PDB file of all heavy atoms in Angstrom:
ATOM      1  N   GLU A 107      24.439   2.827  -7.547  1.00  0.00           N
ATOM      2  CA  GLU A 107      24.687   3.185  -6.159  1.00  0.00           C
ATOM      3  C   GLU A 107      23.411   3.593  -5.463  1.00  0.00           C
ATOM      4  O   GLU A 107      22.430   3.999  -6.116  1.00  0.00           O
ATOM      5  CB  GLU A 107      25.697   4.336  -6.075  1.00  0.00           C
ATOM      6  CG  GLU A 107      27.053   3.997  -6.675  1.00  0.00           C
ATOM      7  CD  GLU A 107      28.028   5.177  -6.632  1.00  0.00           C
ATOM      8  OE1 GLU A 107      27.570   6.287  -6.234  1.00  0.00           O
ATOM      9  OE2 GLU A 107      29.170   5.006  -7.016  1.00  0.00           O
ATOM     10  N   VAL A 108      23.403   3.481  -4.147  1.00  0.00           N
ATOM     11  CA  VAL A 108      22.236   3.854  -3.353  1.00  0.00           C
ATOM     12  C   VAL A 108      21.810   5.287  -3.642  1.00  0.00           C
ATOM     13  O   VAL A 108      20.619   5.588  -3.748  1.00  0.00           O
ATOM     14  CB  VAL A 108      22.536   3.675  -1.843  1.00  0.00           C
ATOM     15  CG1 VAL A 108      21.516   4.402  -0.981  1.00  0.00           C
ATOM     16  CG2 VAL A 108      22.593   2.192  -1.488  1.00  0.00           C
ATOM     17  N   ARG A 109      22.755   6.210  -3.783  1.00  0.00           N
ATOM     18  CA  ARG A 109      22.415   7.624  -4.005  1.00  0.00           C
ATOM     19  C   ARG A 109      21.641   7.814  -5.277  1.00  0.00           C
ATOM     20  O   ARG A 109      20.839   8.734  -5.389  1.00  0.00           O
ATOM     21  CB  ARG A 109      23.675   8.486  -3.993  1.00  0.00           C
ATOM     22  CG  ARG A 109      24.674   8.179  -5.083  1.00  0.00           C
ATOM     23  CD  ARG A 109      25.905   9.091  -5.010  1.00  0.00           C
ATOM     24  NE  ARG A 109      26.854   8.783  -6.085  1.00  0.00           N
ATOM     25  CZ  ARG A 109      26.764   9.266  -7.318  1.00  0.00           C
ATOM     26  NH1 ARG A 109      25.764  10.076  -7.636  1.00  0.00           N
ATOM     27  NH2 ARG A 109      27.667   8.956  -8.229  1.00  0.00           N
ATOM     28  N   LYS A 110      21.868   6.953  -6.281  1.00  0.00           N
ATOM     29  CA  LYS A 110      21.098   7.037  -7.519  1.00  0.00           C
ATOM     30  C   LYS A 110      19.635   6.647  -7.285  1.00  0.00           C
ATOM     31  O   LYS A 110      18.725   7.277  -7.820  1.00  0.00           O
ATOM     32  CB  LYS A 110      21.739   6.128  -8.570  1.00  0.00           C
ATOM     33  CG  LYS A 110      20.913   5.944  -9.856  1.00  0.00           C
ATOM     34  CD  LYS A 110      20.729   7.220 -10.623  1.00  0.00           C
ATOM     35  CE  LYS A 110      19.995   6.970 -11.948  1.00  0.00           C
ATOM     36  NZ  LYS A 110      19.702   8.234 -12.684  1.00  0.00           N
ATOM     37  N   VAL A 111      19.449   5.628  -6.474  1.00  0.00           N
ATOM     38  CA  VAL A 111      18.074   5.179  -6.168  1.00  0.00           C
ATOM     39  C   VAL A 111      17.331   6.273  -5.392  1.00  0.00           C
ATOM     40  O   VAL A 111      16.134   6.498  -5.605  1.00  0.00           O
ATOM     41  CB  VAL A 111      18.112   3.888  -5.342  1.00  0.00           C
ATOM     42  CG1 VAL A 111      16.684   3.439  -4.987  1.00  0.00           C
ATOM     43  CG2 VAL A 111      18.833   2.795  -6.096  1.00  0.00           C
ATOM     44  N   LEU A 112      18.065   6.967  -4.516  1.00  0.00           N
ATOM     45  CA  LEU A 112      17.436   7.979  -3.637  1.00  0.00           C
ATOM     46  C   LEU A 112      17.597   9.406  -4.159  1.00  0.00           C
ATOM     47  O   LEU A 112      17.308  10.364  -3.434  1.00  0.00           O
ATOM     48  CB  LEU A 112      18.053   7.885  -2.241  1.00  0.00           C
ATOM     49  CG  LEU A 112      17.893   6.544  -1.526  1.00  0.00           C
ATOM     50  CD1 LEU A 112      18.568   6.587  -0.157  1.00  0.00           C
ATOM     51  CD2 LEU A 112      16.435   6.174  -1.395  1.00  0.00           C
ATOM     52  N   CYS A 113      18.025   9.564  -5.402  1.00  0.00           N
ATOM     53  CA  CYS A 113      18.288  10.900  -5.914  1.00  0.00           C
ATOM     54  C   CYS A 113      17.004  11.728  -5.966  1.00  0.00           C
ATOM     55  O   CYS A 113      15.925  11.207  -6.178  1.00  0.00           O
ATOM     56  CB  CYS A 113      18.910  10.826  -7.309  1.00  0.00           C
ATOM     57  SG  CYS A 113      17.818  10.132  -8.566  1.00  0.00           S
ATOM     58  N   PRO A 114      17.122  13.067  -5.720  1.00  0.00           N
ATOM     59  CA  PRO A 114      15.940  13.942  -5.811  1.00  0.00           C
ATOM     60  C   PRO A 114      15.379  13.914  -7.228  1.00  0.00           C
ATOM     61  O   PRO A 114      16.082  13.682  -8.203  1.00  0.00           O
ATOM     62  CB  PRO A 114      16.521  15.319  -5.475  1.00  0.00           C
ATOM     63  CG  PRO A 114      17.802  15.058  -4.764  1.00  0.00           C
ATOM     64  CD  PRO A 114      18.342  13.792  -5.335  1.00  0.00           C
ATOM     65  N   GLY A 115      14.090  14.176  -7.312  1.00  0.00           N
ATOM     66  CA  GLY A 115      13.437  14.172  -8.609  1.00  0.00           C
ATOM     67  C   GLY A 115      12.522  12.969  -8.774  1.00  0.00           C
ATOM     68  O   GLY A 115      12.155  12.301  -7.822  1.00  0.00           O
ATOM     69  N   ASP A 116      12.160  12.700 -10.011  1.00  0.00           N
ATOM     70  CA  ASP A 116      11.294  11.561 -10.283  1.00  0.00           C
ATOM     71  C   ASP A 116      11.980  10.270  -9.860  1.00  0.00           C
ATOM     72  O   ASP A 116      13.219  10.151  -9.919  1.00  0.00           O
ATOM     73  CB  ASP A 116      10.981  11.475 -11.755  1.00  0.00           C
ATOM     74  CG  ASP A 116      10.009  12.596 -12.219  1.00  0.00           C
ATOM     75  OD1 ASP A 116       9.821  13.550 -11.439  1.00  0.00           O
ATOM     76  OD2 ASP A 116       9.481  12.512 -13.328  1.00  0.00           O
ATOM     77  N   VAL A 117      11.189   9.301  -9.426  1.00  0.00           N
ATOM     78  CA  VAL A 117      11.745   7.994  -9.044  1.00  0.00           C
ATOM     79  C   VAL A 117      12.452   7.435 -10.286  1.00  0.00           C
ATOM     80  O   VAL A 117      11.848   7.327 -11.356  1.00  0.00           O
ATOM     81  CB  VAL A 117      10.614   7.054  -8.584  1.00  0.00           C
ATOM     82  CG1 VAL A 117      11.170   5.641  -8.337  1.00  0.00           C
ATOM     83  CG2 VAL A 117       9.952   7.591  -7.336  1.00  0.00           C
ATOM     84  N   PRO A 118      13.727   7.085 -10.173  1.00  0.00           N
ATOM     85  CA  PRO A 118      14.472   6.617 -11.350  1.00  0.00           C
ATOM     86  C   PRO A 118      13.934   5.303 -11.900  1.00  0.00           C
ATOM     87  O   PRO A 118      13.410   4.470 -11.152  1.00  0.00           O
ATOM     88  CB  PRO A 118      15.899   6.467 -10.840  1.00  0.00           C
ATOM     89  CG  PRO A 118      15.770   6.311  -9.367  1.00  0.00           C
ATOM     90  CD  PRO A 118      14.575   7.110  -8.957  1.00  0.00           C
ATOM     91  N   ASP A 119      14.052   5.123 -13.188  1.00  0.00           N
ATOM     92  CA  ASP A 119      13.517   3.956 -13.851  1.00  0.00           C
ATOM     93  C   ASP A 119      14.159   2.671 -13.357  1.00  0.00           C
ATOM     94  O   ASP A 119      13.548   1.606 -13.441  1.00  0.00           O
ATOM     95  CB  ASP A 119      13.704   4.085 -15.376  1.00  0.00           C
ATOM     96  CG  ASP A 119      12.792   3.181 -16.158  1.00  0.00           C
ATOM     97  OD1 ASP A 119      11.574   3.240 -15.947  1.00  0.00           O
ATOM     98  OD2 ASP A 119      13.315   2.358 -16.959  1.00  0.00           O
ATOM     99  N   CYS A 120      15.370   2.775 -12.811  1.00  0.00           N
ATOM    100  CA  CYS A 120      16.072   1.568 -12.366  1.00  0.00           C
ATOM    101  C   CYS A 120      15.308   0.845 -11.268  1.00  0.00           C
ATOM    102  O   CYS A 120      15.468  -0.379 -11.079  1.00  0.00           O
ATOM    103  CB  CYS A 120      17.482   1.916 -11.878  1.00  0.00           C
ATOM    104  SG  CYS A 120      17.548   3.019 -10.445  1.00  0.00           S
ATOM    105  N   VAL A 121      14.468   1.553 -10.507  1.00  0.00           N
ATOM    106  CA  VAL A 121      13.709   0.937  -9.424  1.00  0.00           C
ATOM    107  C   VAL A 121      12.817  -0.179  -9.952  1.00  0.00           C
ATOM    108  O   VAL A 121      12.591  -1.194  -9.278  1.00  0.00           O
ATOM    109  CB  VAL A 121      12.897   1.987  -8.653  1.00  0.00           C
ATOM    110  CG1 VAL A 121      11.915   1.343  -7.670  1.00  0.00           C
ATOM    111  CG2 VAL A 121      13.838   2.946  -7.910  1.00  0.00           C
ATOM    112  N   ARG A 221       4.515  10.275 -14.525  1.00  0.00           N
ATOM    113  CA  ARG A 221       5.627  10.674 -13.687  1.00  0.00           C
ATOM    114  C   ARG A 221       5.383  10.178 -12.263  1.00  0.00           C
ATOM    115  O   ARG A 221       4.211  10.117 -11.821  1.00  0.00           O
ATOM    116  CB  ARG A 221       5.825  12.177 -13.693  1.00  0.00           C
ATOM    117  CG  ARG A 221       6.406  12.730 -15.000  1.00  0.00           C
ATOM    118  CD  ARG A 221       6.636  14.230 -14.881  1.00  0.00           C
ATOM    119  NE  ARG A 221       7.543  14.532 -13.801  1.00  0.00           N
ATOM    120  CZ  ARG A 221       7.672  15.752 -13.239  1.00  0.00           C
ATOM    121  NH1 ARG A 221       6.932  16.756 -13.662  1.00  0.00           N
ATOM    122  NH2 ARG A 221       8.535  15.955 -12.249  1.00  0.00           N
ATOM    123  N   GLU A 222       6.450   9.862 -11.568  1.00  0.00           N
ATOM    124  CA  GLU A 222       6.314   9.333 -10.207  1.00  0.00           C
ATOM    125  C   GLU A 222       7.299  10.018  -9.289  1.00  0.00           C
ATOM    126  O   GLU A 222       8.488  10.114  -9.596  1.00  0.00           O
ATOM    127  CB  GLU A 222       6.585   7.830 -10.227  1.00  0.00           C
ATOM    128  CG  GLU A 222       6.537   7.156  -8.870  1.00  0.00           C
ATOM    129  CD  GLU A 222       6.832   5.669  -8.951  1.00  0.00           C
ATOM    130  OE1 GLU A 222       6.758   5.101 -10.059  1.00  0.00           O
ATOM    131  OE2 GLU A 222       7.173   5.074  -7.912  1.00  0.00           O
ATOM    132  N   ARG A 223       6.802  10.536  -8.167  1.00  0.00           N
ATOM    133  CA  ARG A 223       7.662  11.177  -7.181  1.00  0.00           C
ATOM    134  C   ARG A 223       7.307  10.704  -5.778  1.00  0.00           C
ATOM    135  O   ARG A 223       6.184  10.292  -5.511  1.00  0.00           O
ATOM    136  CB  ARG A 223       7.506  12.704  -7.233  1.00  0.00           C
ATOM    137  CG  ARG A 223       7.898  13.325  -8.551  1.00  0.00           C
ATOM    138  CD  ARG A 223       8.319  14.750  -8.377  1.00  0.00           C
ATOM    139  NE  ARG A 223       9.615  14.840  -7.735  1.00  0.00           N
ATOM    140  CZ  ARG A 223      10.406  15.898  -7.801  1.00  0.00           C
ATOM    141  NH1 ARG A 223      10.025  16.964  -8.486  1.00  0.00           N
ATOM    142  NH2 ARG A 223      11.561  15.922  -7.196  1.00  0.00           N
ATOM    143  N   ILE A 224       8.281  10.780  -4.879  1.00  0.00           N
ATOM    144  CA  ILE A 224       8.041  10.531  -3.461  1.00  0.00           C
ATOM    145  C   ILE A 224       8.055  11.883  -2.777  1.00  0.00           C
ATOM    146  O   ILE A 224       9.057  12.609  -2.794  1.00  0.00           O
ATOM    147  CB  ILE A 224       9.150   9.629  -2.845  1.00  0.00           C
ATOM    148  CG1 ILE A 224       9.337   8.353  -3.665  1.00  0.00           C
ATOM    149  CG2 ILE A 224       8.805   9.335  -1.397  1.00  0.00           C
ATOM    150  CD1 ILE A 224       8.202   7.382  -3.614  1.00  0.00           C
ATOM    151  N   LEU A 225       6.934  12.250  -2.162  1.00  0.00           N
ATOM    152  CA  LEU A 225       6.815  13.528  -1.455  1.00  0.00           C
ATOM    153  C   LEU A 225       6.806  13.238   0.044  1.00  0.00           C
ATOM    154  O   LEU A 225       5.990  12.439   0.526  1.00  0.00           O
ATOM    155  CB  LEU A 225       5.535  14.251  -1.854  1.00  0.00           C
ATOM    156  CG  LEU A 225       5.311  14.481  -3.362  1.00  0.00           C
ATOM    157  CD1 LEU A 225       4.028  15.267  -3.576  1.00  0.00           C
ATOM    158  CD2 LEU A 225       6.495  15.177  -3.989  1.00  0.00           C
ATOM    159  N   HIS A 226       7.684  13.889   0.760  1.00  0.00           N
ATOM    160  CA  HIS A 226       7.819  13.663   2.201  1.00  0.00           C
ATOM    161  C   HIS A 226       7.134  14.776   2.981  1.00  0.00           C
ATOM    162  O   HIS A 226       7.344  15.957   2.720  1.00  0.00           O
ATOM    163  CB  HIS A 226       9.300  13.612   2.584  1.00  0.00           C
ATOM    164  CG  HIS A 226       9.534  13.401   4.039  1.00  0.00           C
ATOM    165  ND1 HIS A 226       9.278  12.188   4.665  1.00  0.00           N
ATOM    166  CD2 HIS A 226       9.974  14.219   5.018  1.00  0.00           C
ATOM    167  CE1 HIS A 226       9.573  12.279   5.955  1.00  0.00           C
ATOM    168  NE2 HIS A 226       9.990  13.502   6.202  1.00  0.00           N
ATOM    169  N   ARG A 415      10.400   1.140  -1.570  1.00  0.00           N
ATOM    170  CA  ARG A 415      10.025   1.480  -2.949  1.00  0.00           C
ATOM    171  C   ARG A 415       9.111   0.387  -3.521  1.00  0.00           C
ATOM    172  O   ARG A 415       9.073  -0.732  -3.016  1.00  0.00           O
ATOM    173  CB  ARG A 415      11.272   1.619  -3.833  1.00  0.00           C
ATOM    174  CG  ARG A 415      12.128   2.835  -3.523  1.00  0.00           C
ATOM    175  CD  ARG A 415      11.416   4.129  -3.879  1.00  0.00           C
ATOM    176  NE  ARG A 415      12.263   5.306  -3.687  1.00  0.00           N
ATOM    177  CZ  ARG A 415      12.302   6.042  -2.568  1.00  0.00           C
ATOM    178  NH1 ARG A 415      11.548   5.670  -1.524  1.00  0.00           N
ATOM    179  NH2 ARG A 415      13.073   7.098  -2.477  1.00  0.00           N
ATOM    180  N   GLU A 453       3.747  20.527  -8.697  1.00  0.00           N
ATOM    181  CA  GLU A 453       5.055  20.934  -8.209  1.00  0.00           C
ATOM    182  C   GLU A 453       5.201  22.433  -8.017  1.00  0.00           C
ATOM    183  O   GLU A 453       6.025  22.902  -7.234  1.00  0.00           O
ATOM    184  CB  GLU A 453       6.140  20.447  -9.196  1.00  0.00           C
ATOM    185  CG  GLU A 453       6.364  18.955  -9.173  1.00  0.00           C
ATOM    186  CD  GLU A 453       7.280  18.489 -10.279  1.00  0.00           C
ATOM    187  OE1 GLU A 453       7.367  19.178 -11.324  1.00  0.00           O
ATOM    188  OE2 GLU A 453       7.940  17.437 -10.131  1.00  0.00           O
ATOM    189  N   VAL A 462       5.003  20.370   1.916  1.00  0.00           N
ATOM    190  CA  VAL A 462       5.932  19.296   1.498  1.00  0.00           C
ATOM    191  C   VAL A 462       7.294  19.578   2.098  1.00  0.00           C
ATOM    192  O   VAL A 462       7.903  20.616   1.820  1.00  0.00           O
ATOM    193  CB  VAL A 462       6.024  19.196  -0.035  1.00  0.00           C
ATOM    194  CG1 VAL A 462       7.031  18.110  -0.432  1.00  0.00           C
ATOM    195  CG2 VAL A 462       4.643  18.849  -0.612  1.00  0.00           C
ATOM    196  N   SER A 463       7.776  18.672   2.921  1.00  0.00           N
ATOM    197  CA  SER A 463       9.052  18.896   3.603  1.00  0.00           C
ATOM    198  C   SER A 463      10.229  18.563   2.719  1.00  0.00           C
ATOM    199  O   SER A 463      11.308  19.137   2.848  1.00  0.00           O
ATOM    200  CB  SER A 463       9.110  18.025   4.859  1.00  0.00           C
ATOM    201  OG  SER A 463       7.963  18.201   5.649  1.00  0.00           O
ATOM    202  N   GLU A 464      10.029  17.628   1.799  1.00  0.00           N
ATOM    203  CA  GLU A 464      11.127  17.200   0.949  1.00  0.00           C
ATOM    204  C   GLU A 464      10.538  16.490  -0.280  1.00  0.00           C
ATOM    205  O   GLU A 464       9.574  15.743  -0.154  1.00  0.00           O
ATOM    206  CB  GLU A 464      12.033  16.232   1.716  1.00  0.00           C
ATOM    207  CG  GLU A 464      13.275  15.801   0.991  1.00  0.00           C
ATOM    208  CD  GLU A 464      14.112  14.864   1.846  1.00  0.00           C
ATOM    209  OE1 GLU A 464      13.771  14.664   3.009  1.00  0.00           O
ATOM    210  OE2 GLU A 464      15.103  14.346   1.306  1.00  0.00           O
ATOM    211  N   MET A 465      11.109  16.750  -1.438  1.00  0.00           N
ATOM    212  CA  MET A 465      10.731  16.026  -2.663  1.00  0.00           C
ATOM    213  C   MET A 465      11.860  15.065  -2.951  1.00  0.00           C
ATOM    214  O   MET A 465      12.874  15.447  -3.546  1.00  0.00           O
ATOM    215  CB  MET A 465      10.453  16.961  -3.811  1.00  0.00           C
ATOM    216  CG  MET A 465       9.267  17.893  -3.558  1.00  0.00           C
ATOM    217  SD  MET A 465       8.737  18.808  -5.003  1.00  0.00           S
ATOM    218  CE  MET A 465       7.963  17.540  -5.969  1.00  0.00           C
ATOM    219  N   VAL A 466      11.717  13.837  -2.535  1.00  0.00           N
ATOM    220  CA  VAL A 466      12.788  12.851  -2.683  1.00  0.00           C
ATOM    221  C   VAL A 466      13.015  12.548  -4.154  1.00  0.00           C
ATOM    222  O   VAL A 466      12.080  12.434  -4.912  1.00  0.00           O
ATOM    223  CB  VAL A 466      12.394  11.551  -1.926  1.00  0.00           C
ATOM    224  CG1 VAL A 466      13.500  10.516  -2.062  1.00  0.00           C
ATOM    225  CG2 VAL A 466      12.162  11.861  -0.462  1.00  0.00           C
TER     226      VAL A 466
END
Side-chain angles (χ1 to χ4, degrees):
E107 298 178 355
V108 165
R109 63 180 180 83
K110 171 64 175 176
V111 179
L112 300 179
C113 65
D116 289 14
V117 175
D119 199 55
C120 63
V121 170
R221 287 183 59 198
E222 178 181 342
R223 298 206 72 159
I224 308 291
L225 306 182
H226 179 71
R415 290 293 184 267
E453 289 172 334
V462 177
S463 309
E464 185 179 354
M465 296 190 73
V466 180

